[in-house]
Amino acid sequence: MYYVDLNCDLGESFGAYKIGKDEDIIPLISSANIACGAHAGDPTVMKKTVELCKKNGVSFGAHPGFFDLMGFGRRNMAISPEDAKNIMTSQIGALDAFAKSEGVKLSHVKPHGALYNMAAKDKALARAIAEAVYAYDKSLILLGLSGSEMLNAAKEIGLPFAAEVFADRAYEDDGSLVARTKEGAMIKDEDEAVSRVIRMIKEHKVRTLSGKDIEISPASVCVHGDSEKALLFVKKIREALAKEGVEVRPLAEILS
Amino acid sequence: MYYVDLNCDLGESFGAYKIGKDEDIIPLISSANIACGAHAGDPTVMKKTVELCKKNGVSFGAHPGFFDLMGFGRRNMAISPEDAKNIMTSQIGALDAFAKSEGVKLSHVKPHGALYNMAAKDKALARAIAEAVYAYDKSLILLGLSGSEMLNAAKEIGLPFAAEVFADRAYEDDGSLVARTKEGAMIKDEDEAVSRVIRMIKEHKVRTLSGKDIEISPASVCVHGDSEKALLFVKKIREALAKEGVEVRPLAEILS
Amino acid sequence: MYYVDLNCDLGESFGAYKIGKDEDIIPLISSANIACGAHAGDPTVMKKTVELCKKNGVSFGAHPGFFDLMGFGRRNMAISPEDAKNIMTSQIGALDAFAKSEGVKLSHVKPHGALYNMAAKDKALARAIAEAVYAYDKSLILLGLSGSEMLNAAKEIGLPFAAEVFADRAYEDDGSLVARTKEGAMIKDEDEAVSRVIRMIKEHKVRTLSGKDIEISPASVCVHGDSEKALLFVKKIREALAKEGVEVRPLAEILS
Amino acid sequence: MYYVDLNCDLGESFGAYKIGKDEDIIPLISSANIACGAHAGDPTVMKKTVELCKKNGVSFGAHPGFFDLMGFGRRNMAISPEDAKNIMTSQIGALDAFAKSEGVKLSHVKPHGALYNMAAKDKALARAIAEAVYAYDKSLILLGLSGSEMLNAAKEIGLPFAAEVFADRAYEDDGSLVARTKEGAMIKDEDEAVSRVIRMIKEHKVRTLSGKDIEISPASVCVHGDSEKALLFVKKIREALAKEGVEVRPLAEILS
């Protein structure tokens, strides 16, 4: 039997601003990454998103990012490892407070946007992030890019971790994602995207942009839930997984 | 034997902006109220203030306020009870994350500024605040104005609470603070301020602005730590308390 | 011949957050109120909205609000008249900078949300707002609620002003809007809403909630542009105005 | 006769947070760079700082920075040239609004912190900044690092510009500042700092860290005003300039 987790970034609305079809996507995934009020999300949005996950019995984690609402946490910022550690801690705590108040438990932490991308390559930042999670609760799973420094850091300090892959992104030979600015970065054909995911799960292999096969071992697949098209793709991927005998399960069960 | 807690608002710096002589005041008090990143404080300031309290063995609590850094949380805002509850929850969690990461425990929660003042009189707001604390951790002490709706709400739902008094403020006959805009609102004579506090602790009485004696029963005295003069006054009050046989103890020990 | 202005709040997106069908509504109105980066809007959104108005030859003004993005400027805040004046000035200047850079001129200023509502009734706040506009550029038109203190203040200091009415809101006998929380506050029947507007423009009268006719003299009608339904209503009102011989013109032409 | 401008970053307080001895430093300088509400400053602080400059007859300009109050605009951010242009425009306008309301004129613009440093080396960013100023008002002087891409961009598009030097910083052979992290980056001896400035002004030369003499031609010297020590140094430099026959004049007079 094969298993995989499906994770999605959620709780990204802010005040009067709505982003994401959270109510529609939550029943389709196994792990929700909930924004924590820095790059997106506000306290009331956090509360409602935690409730929604609880109601649907879906695992959820904290999705901390830069304090850059205007840039949605997607702009690189020159932050010290110490500050990075502290913005992780405060955001994990902010979200966990709603979990605790609802009597449920956080399953994982996945940094967002530029913080995620920078920590994939920057050892000191990766270490700071892993240490923040570890110090807060060493049973939390760090969810990050397959082959990233962030997962290496988790491994080093003994924090549970999980590698995620992207159905719609091309890979370089070293296992990193092809930069969005590069030709061929996106897998636009949905059937191809689905086949690639199935192959990653069953064969632990992916064909890179250069045409080479590399090893990859996904615990989770990151999906999007911000448009009707995105929802349809998630349904498509779920059907394909079912047909191929791949069961969708939350991160914690895959790792255990 | 008499007991009283001395509490002070701390951790109010933000980035390059410094407020408060935290290192000097912490050894002089028994309870620190630490800002949680909304009206003041940032993640790195929270971290350092928690460390400082831990190092000095001083109890500390969360000091949540409005998301109004420009107004330092001192401007009334028309917030719904639901939103109030959620901004309490996220801020308590943000601060508690540093406590948890340092292996220490939060002792109490004291709302800040306009939120504190509004909740002293507004039953629905008071209830929302008490419920937020209770849902998060029902062993946390809610620290509020003596005779306020906030403490009434805590009592109603079974949350531990503690009444604080102000050495430098005059009281109305109903036990509320004389508005700052009113003549005689501030007790400017330091010796008088100290005598009043001693009398509140030992006789449970205070002379109001109108000249009447009313009942008051302080668990804690709120002091300031943002200037050399404030520090001197705290030293003065400590000496007077010692001389009068009043021991300074953290909130948790007074309530238990 | 009858004339009226149609105004709409625009430029309310922020970073990744989109609000409002600005491209669709701008060709249908004669005055755009553009958010200035406090309660909504960011510099790039301001720039694009000014360009859009310029391209469509539509008059536009500044739409300043409270620095409360989380509350979208809709929560009352206890702000001093001095601070109110200064947040008006900085926001008008921020928006005007894009107009100046594009070689076009601002026509008016309309405070937003809670600032607008508070200034409708609070004389000191109304005066501070009118003075801010006057000091910046005394040829700017202050757009406000018909019968409000804000328009009284403009009149007093010699600032051009224009009264707006709402098609979908009921009125009290004193000319104020019926509070949204009150039964009958909203005019839900679209045909009735249109007829009321036509009558206000042609007869200068409106039937209040209590059934009384009061005087009202609208220079402008405030419309919404945030949904398909809102756009259809604006088209409907434009058709009705045309049929009734009411021409849609920008504020400046109505006042001159 | 020799001339030089003395400029200082001011208006950096925010709400309850105070930074800078603005009242003391303003009478000692010829150009004030006023924060515009993004990395520092709020509308009321902007207003008061403009008034202070007006009262003292001191020229002032806008000092725009990143929207990163927590980092005081000192953290590099990956911002697009388009967004950079727009944050420049809105901030210049916000500050200019207070000048306009007070009947005085802005003399210059100097980007702040990380934006300043990034634009010293990044051509696209430098160009965006120069274009923002030019589009807003092509008579404004762009104040930037001697030898920077920012000044090159101003020259290219025909915007007046002025080169500033730092008394307390060492220079590399290419005219750039020695990175603060490098040994010898700061000129700690005050007499040496003063002599270096005098030499830059009179001989247009500075000795680099490697011991080489390079050409440098300062229109302005950047001084600090945030401590008693900083104020004393400004007084010292003023005395030395006077003794050496170097007159302190505002930027506009030096360029004209």
Side-chain angles (χ1 to χ4, degrees), chain C residues 234-252:
Chain C
V234 178
K235 282 175 189 164
K236 186 171 196 163
I237 216 170
R238 282 199 73 113
E239 278 166 28
L241 291 172
K243 204 174 139 195
E244 294 281 341
V246 183
E247 217 173 285
V248 174
R249 292 213 182 159
L251 278 181

PDB file of all heavy atoms in Angstrom, chain C residues 234-252:
ATOM      1  N   VAL C 234     -25.901  49.703 -10.703  1.00  0.00           N
ATOM      2  CA  VAL C 234     -25.408  50.995 -11.206  1.00  0.00           C
ATOM      3  C   VAL C 234     -25.888  51.219 -12.639  1.00  0.00           C
ATOM      4  O   VAL C 234     -26.321  52.321 -13.005  1.00  0.00           O
ATOM      5  CB  VAL C 234     -23.866  51.078 -11.128  1.00  0.00           C
ATOM      6  CG1 VAL C 234     -23.383  52.410 -11.704  1.00  0.00           C
ATOM      7  CG2 VAL C 234     -23.399  50.931  -9.690  1.00  0.00           C
ATOM      8  N   LYS C 235     -25.856  50.151 -13.426  1.00  0.00           N
ATOM      9  CA  LYS C 235     -26.360  50.279 -14.808  1.00  0.00           C
ATOM     10  C   LYS C 235     -27.849  50.650 -14.786  1.00  0.00           C
ATOM     11  O   LYS C 235     -28.306  51.502 -15.538  1.00  0.00           O
ATOM     12  CB  LYS C 235     -26.142  48.969 -15.571  1.00  0.00           C
ATOM     13  CG  LYS C 235     -24.680  48.813 -16.019  1.00  0.00           C
ATOM     14  CD  LYS C 235     -24.420  47.452 -16.670  1.00  0.00           C
ATOM     15  CE  LYS C 235     -22.909  47.274 -16.896  1.00  0.00           C
ATOM     16  NZ  LYS C 235     -22.563  45.871 -17.170  1.00  0.00           N
ATOM     17  N   LYS C 236     -28.577  49.996 -13.903  1.00  0.00           N
ATOM     18  CA  LYS C 236     -30.012  50.253 -13.766  1.00  0.00           C
ATOM     19  C   LYS C 236     -30.278  51.708 -13.371  1.00  0.00           C
ATOM     20  O   LYS C 236     -31.149  52.381 -13.935  1.00  0.00           O
ATOM     21  CB  LYS C 236     -30.553  49.311 -12.688  1.00  0.00           C
ATOM     22  CG  LYS C 236     -32.050  49.353 -12.527  1.00  0.00           C
ATOM     23  CD  LYS C 236     -32.496  48.218 -11.593  1.00  0.00           C
ATOM     24  CE  LYS C 236     -33.994  47.998 -11.730  1.00  0.00           C
ATOM     25  NZ  LYS C 236     -34.387  46.696 -11.181  1.00  0.00           N
ATOM     26  N   ILE C 237     -29.505  52.196 -12.412  1.00  0.00           N
ATOM     27  CA  ILE C 237     -29.714  53.559 -11.956  1.00  0.00           C
ATOM     28  C   ILE C 237     -29.335  54.556 -13.062  1.00  0.00           C
ATOM     29  O   ILE C 237     -30.007  55.573 -13.259  1.00  0.00           O
ATOM     30  CB  ILE C 237     -28.956  53.811 -10.622  1.00  0.00           C
ATOM     31  CG1 ILE C 237     -29.784  54.752  -9.737  1.00  0.00           C
ATOM     32  CG2 ILE C 237     -27.583  54.410 -10.823  1.00  0.00           C
ATOM     33  CD1 ILE C 237     -29.252  54.862  -8.314  1.00  0.00           C
ATOM     34  N   ARG C 238     -28.288  54.248 -13.804  1.00  0.00           N
ATOM     35  CA  ARG C 238     -27.890  55.130 -14.915  1.00  0.00           C
ATOM     36  C   ARG C 238     -28.989  55.203 -15.968  1.00  0.00           C
ATOM     37  O   ARG C 238     -29.295  56.281 -16.494  1.00  0.00           O
ATOM     38  CB  ARG C 238     -26.602  54.618 -15.571  1.00  0.00           C
ATOM     39  CG  ARG C 238     -25.350  54.937 -14.780  1.00  0.00           C
ATOM     40  CD  ARG C 238     -24.125  54.830 -15.667  1.00  0.00           C
ATOM     41  NE  ARG C 238     -24.081  55.955 -16.586  1.00  0.00           N
ATOM     42  CZ  ARG C 238     -23.152  56.910 -16.555  1.00  0.00           C
ATOM     43  NH1 ARG C 238     -22.171  56.860 -15.681  1.00  0.00           N
ATOM     44  NH2 ARG C 238     -23.196  57.906 -17.414  1.00  0.00           N
ATOM     45  N   GLU C 239     -29.578  54.060 -16.284  1.00  0.00           N
ATOM     46  CA  GLU C 239     -30.662  54.042 -17.282  1.00  0.00           C
ATOM     47  C   GLU C 239     -31.847  54.870 -16.800  1.00  0.00           C
ATOM     48  O   GLU C 239     -32.425  55.651 -17.559  1.00  0.00           O
ATOM     49  CB  GLU C 239     -31.122  52.609 -17.549  1.00  0.00           C
ATOM     50  CG  GLU C 239     -30.227  51.873 -18.533  1.00  0.00           C
ATOM     51  CD  GLU C 239     -30.494  50.369 -18.513  1.00  0.00           C
ATOM     52  OE1 GLU C 239     -31.632  49.955 -18.193  1.00  0.00           O
ATOM     53  OE2 GLU C 239     -29.534  49.611 -18.795  1.00  0.00           O
ATOM     54  N   ALA C 240     -32.192  54.681 -15.543  1.00  0.00           N
ATOM     55  CA  ALA C 240     -33.331  55.418 -14.987  1.00  0.00           C
ATOM     56  C   ALA C 240     -33.049  56.924 -14.993  1.00  0.00           C
ATOM     57  O   ALA C 240     -33.920  57.738 -15.334  1.00  0.00           O
ATOM     58  CB  ALA C 240     -33.626  54.934 -13.574  1.00  0.00           C
ATOM     59  N   LEU C 241     -31.816  57.301 -14.630  1.00  0.00           N
ATOM     60  CA  LEU C 241     -31.457  58.723 -14.619  1.00  0.00           C
ATOM     61  C   LEU C 241     -31.581  59.297 -16.027  1.00  0.00           C
ATOM     62  O   LEU C 241     -32.147  60.382 -16.229  1.00  0.00           O
ATOM     63  CB  LEU C 241     -30.024  58.909 -14.095  1.00  0.00           C
ATOM     64  CG  LEU C 241     -29.792  58.603 -12.600  1.00  0.00           C
ATOM     65  CD1 LEU C 241     -28.303  58.631 -12.274  1.00  0.00           C
ATOM     66  CD2 LEU C 241     -30.551  59.583 -11.704  1.00  0.00           C
ATOM     67  N   ALA C 242     -31.074  58.570 -17.003  1.00  0.00           N
ATOM     68  CA  ALA C 242     -31.107  59.035 -18.395  1.00  0.00           C
ATOM     69  C   ALA C 242     -32.551  59.236 -18.845  1.00  0.00           C
ATOM     70  O   ALA C 242     -32.906  60.266 -19.434  1.00  0.00           O
ATOM     71  CB  ALA C 242     -30.403  58.031 -19.301  1.00  0.00           C
ATOM     72  N   LYS C 243     -33.370  58.243 -18.527  1.00  0.00           N
ATOM     73  CA  LYS C 243     -34.788  58.281 -18.915  1.00  0.00           C
ATOM     74  C   LYS C 243     -35.504  59.471 -18.272  1.00  0.00           C
ATOM     75  O   LYS C 243     -36.407  60.075 -18.869  1.00  0.00           O
ATOM     76  CB  LYS C 243     -35.423  56.961 -18.448  1.00  0.00           C
ATOM     77  CG  LYS C 243     -36.664  56.567 -19.213  1.00  0.00           C
ATOM     78  CD  LYS C 243     -37.116  55.183 -18.783  1.00  0.00           C
ATOM     79  CE  LYS C 243     -38.641  55.126 -18.659  1.00  0.00           C
ATOM     80  NZ  LYS C 243     -39.066  53.926 -17.904  1.00  0.00           N
ATOM     81  N   GLU C 244     -35.075  59.803 -17.064  1.00  0.00           N
ATOM     82  CA  GLU C 244     -35.725  60.894 -16.326  1.00  0.00           C
ATOM     83  C   GLU C 244     -35.076  62.248 -16.610  1.00  0.00           C
ATOM     84  O   GLU C 244     -35.394  63.246 -15.952  1.00  0.00           O
ATOM     85  CB  GLU C 244     -35.646  60.609 -14.821  1.00  0.00           C
ATOM     86  CG  GLU C 244     -36.441  59.394 -14.385  1.00  0.00           C
ATOM     87  CD  GLU C 244     -37.937  59.709 -14.277  1.00  0.00           C
ATOM     88  OE1 GLU C 244     -38.294  60.907 -14.181  1.00  0.00           O
ATOM     89  OE2 GLU C 244     -38.738  58.747 -14.313  1.00  0.00           O
ATOM     90  N   GLY C 245     -34.118  62.260 -17.534  1.00  0.00           N
ATOM     91  CA  GLY C 245     -33.496  63.537 -17.883  1.00  0.00           C
ATOM     92  C   GLY C 245     -32.501  64.037 -16.853  1.00  0.00           C
ATOM     93  O   GLY C 245     -32.237  65.234 -16.753  1.00  0.00           O
ATOM     94  N   VAL C 246     -31.925  63.127 -16.082  1.00  0.00           N
ATOM     95  CA  VAL C 246     -30.902  63.519 -15.116  1.00  0.00           C
ATOM     96  C   VAL C 246     -29.540  63.150 -15.695  1.00  0.00           C
ATOM     97  O   VAL C 246     -29.276  61.981 -15.989  1.00  0.00           O
ATOM     98  CB  VAL C 246     -31.088  62.799 -13.759  1.00  0.00           C
ATOM     99  CG1 VAL C 246     -30.034  63.291 -12.758  1.00  0.00           C
ATOM    100  CG2 VAL C 246     -32.497  63.011 -13.214  1.00  0.00           C
ATOM    101  N   GLU C 247     -28.689  64.157 -15.864  1.00  0.00           N
ATOM    102  CA  GLU C 247     -27.374  63.893 -16.457  1.00  0.00           C
ATOM    103  C   GLU C 247     -26.350  63.579 -15.363  1.00  0.00           C
ATOM    104  O   GLU C 247     -26.343  64.236 -14.328  1.00  0.00           O
ATOM    105  CB  GLU C 247     -26.938  65.126 -17.237  1.00  0.00           C
ATOM    106  CG  GLU C 247     -26.202  64.779 -18.520  1.00  0.00           C
ATOM    107  CD  GLU C 247     -25.947  66.044 -19.336  1.00  0.00           C
ATOM    108  OE1 GLU C 247     -26.897  66.570 -19.964  1.00  0.00           O
ATOM    109  OE2 GLU C 247     -24.795  66.505 -19.303  1.00  0.00           O
ATOM    110  N   VAL C 248     -25.475  62.599 -15.643  1.00  0.00           N
ATOM    111  CA  VAL C 248     -24.417  62.259 -14.695  1.00  0.00           C
ATOM    112  C   VAL C 248     -23.179  63.103 -14.996  1.00  0.00           C
ATOM    113  O   VAL C 248     -22.665  63.082 -16.110  1.00  0.00           O
ATOM    114  CB  VAL C 248     -24.069  60.754 -14.773  1.00  0.00           C
ATOM    115  CG1 VAL C 248     -22.867  60.434 -13.885  1.00  0.00           C
ATOM    116  CG2 VAL C 248     -25.273  59.908 -14.365  1.00  0.00           C
ATOM    117  N   ARG C 249     -22.764  63.893 -14.023  1.00  0.00           N
ATOM    118  CA  ARG C 249     -21.601  64.759 -14.206  1.00  0.00           C
ATOM    119  C   ARG C 249     -20.700  64.711 -12.978  1.00  0.00           C
ATOM    120  O   ARG C 249     -21.170  64.489 -11.872  1.00  0.00           O
ATOM    121  CB  ARG C 249     -22.073  66.203 -14.377  1.00  0.00           C
ATOM    122  CG  ARG C 249     -22.826  66.416 -15.674  1.00  0.00           C
ATOM    123  CD  ARG C 249     -22.564  67.803 -16.168  1.00  0.00           C
ATOM    124  NE  ARG C 249     -23.292  68.078 -17.395  1.00  0.00           N
ATOM    125  CZ  ARG C 249     -23.568  69.288 -17.832  1.00  0.00           C
ATOM    126  NH1 ARG C 249     -23.167  70.344 -17.112  1.00  0.00           N
ATOM    127  NH2 ARG C 249     -24.206  69.473 -18.957  1.00  0.00           N
ATOM    128  N   PRO C 250     -19.414  64.962 -13.183  1.00  0.00           N
ATOM    129  CA  PRO C 250     -18.512  64.960 -12.020  1.00  0.00           C
ATOM    130  C   PRO C 250     -18.848  66.074 -11.040  1.00  0.00           C
ATOM    131  O   PRO C 250     -19.401  67.114 -11.419  1.00  0.00           O
ATOM    132  CB  PRO C 250     -17.125  65.154 -12.628  1.00  0.00           C
ATOM    133  CG  PRO C 250     -17.359  65.644 -14.016  1.00  0.00           C
ATOM    134  CD  PRO C 250     -18.698  65.146 -14.449  1.00  0.00           C
ATOM    135  N   LEU C 251     -18.481  65.862  -9.797  1.00  0.00           N
ATOM    136  CA  LEU C 251     -18.748  66.806  -8.711  1.00  0.00           C
ATOM    137  C   LEU C 251     -18.416  68.251  -9.051  1.00  0.00           C
ATOM    138  O   LEU C 251     -19.214  69.152  -8.794  1.00  0.00           O
ATOM    139  CB  LEU C 251     -17.895  66.427  -7.495  1.00  0.00           C
ATOM    140  CG  LEU C 251     -18.416  65.321  -6.588  1.00  0.00           C
ATOM    141  CD1 LEU C 251     -17.448  65.135  -5.449  1.00  0.00           C
ATOM    142  CD2 LEU C 251     -19.808  65.678  -6.075  1.00  0.00           C
ATOM    143  N   ALA C 252     -17.235  68.447  -9.604  1.00  0.00           N
ATOM    144  CA  ALA C 252     -16.762  69.814  -9.859  1.00  0.00           C
ATOM    145  C   ALA C 252     -17.715  70.578 -10.769  1.00  0.00           C
ATOM    146  O   ALA C 252     -17.913  71.783 -10.610  1.00  0.00           O
ATOM    147  CB  ALA C 252     -15.364  69.780 -10.457  1.00  0.00           C
TER     148      ALA C 252
END
